[in-house]
Amino acid sequence: TFVCTLKACGDLKAIDKGQEIHARILMEGLLEKNDMVCTALIDMYAKCGSFAKAQGVLEKLTCPHVSSWNALISGYNQHGHCDETLICFQEMQQKGISPNGITFTCILKACGRIGLIQKGEKVHAEIIKRGLLGRDILIGNALVDMYIKCGRFSKAKGVFDMLLHRNTVSWTILIAGYAQHGLG
C-alpha cells in the first residue's frame, strides 16, 4: 500500500501527502525493514524535486540496493540535473553497488545531454564487458542517442548495427539524430 501510494504522490507531485506517508513509515519502522518502501520513498521525493530529502533517505539506509540508488539517479536525470546524476553514479560505485541497465541508461542520457563523450565511451565499454548491449534494447537505444547527441554519427550507427533487436524507438533516434544535425 505504501509503495503504490508513494508512487501516486510522486506522479502527482503531492509532496505534502508523501511526507505524511513518510512519517507513518517511520512510526511503523518500515524504513529499516522494507527495501521496496525505501525505494518508493526516494523515488517520490526525487520526482517532487526534493533531492535533499531523497538523498537523506538513501543515506539512512543500512544497506541500500541498486534500485534505491537508481531512484535518486533517475530523479536527477528526469529533472535535467546531469552533473548530480553523474556524481550520484560515482558515489554509488564508490560504495560498491554494481550498476544495472536502468543505471546505465540514465548515465548515458546525462552524458548525451551535456556532451560528455569520454564518460559515455567508458560506460559503453562497461556495458560491453558485462554483456548487456545485446540483451537490453533500452541500453542500446540510450547508447545510440548518446553518440548522436555528442556528434559521433559513425559510432551511433555502429552501435545501431550491432543491436540484436531494433524497435521504432531505435530507428527514430537514428533518423531524428541525423535530421537534427543536417544529415538528411
Side-chain angles (χ1 to χ4, degrees), residues 1-23 25 40-50 79:
T1 305
F2 285 129
V3 171
C4 293
T5 309
L6 286 168
K7 181 176 178 2
C9 289
D11 291 345
L12 296 171
K13 310 288 188 265
I15 193 165
D16 292 338
K17 189 65 169 171
Q19 288 175 319
E20 286 177 32
I21 294 167
H22 185 181
I25 289 167
L41 190 57
I42 294 166
D43 184 60
M44 182 276 300
Y45 280 127
K47 283 180 178 173
C48 291
S50 184
H79 284 270

Side-chain angles (χ1 to χ4, degrees), residues 9-79:
C9 289
D11 291 345
L12 296 171
K13 310 288 188 265
I15 193 165
D16 292 338
K17 189 65 169 171
Q19 288 175 319
E20 286 177 32
I21 294 167
H22 185 181
R24 179 101 184 257
I25 289 167
L26 290 173
M27 282 186 343
E28 294 190 22
L30 288 175
L31 202 58
E32 299 84 23
K33 297 176 189 171
N34 192 311
D35 295 332
M36 287 179 24
V37 170
C38 295
T39 300
L41 190 57
I42 294 166
D43 184 60
M44 182 276 300
Y45 280 127
K47 283 180 178 173
C48 291
S50 184
F51 296 107
K53 289 187 180 187
Q55 185 81 39
V57 172
L58 183 68
E59 288 171 359
K60 288 179 184 169
L61 299 180
T62 54
C63 188
H65 294 284
V66 68
S67 57
S68 303
W69 283 94
N70 283 346
L72 185 57
I73 288 169
S74 179
Y76 279 132
N77 200 42
Q78 289 171 358
H79 284 270

Side-chain angles (χ1 to χ4, degrees), residues 22-23 31 68 80 85 106 109 112 126 134 153 168 178:
H22 185 181
L31 202 58
S68 303
T85 300
C106 289
K109 285 181 183 179
E126 184 65 25
F153 306 107
T168 306
Y178 284 143

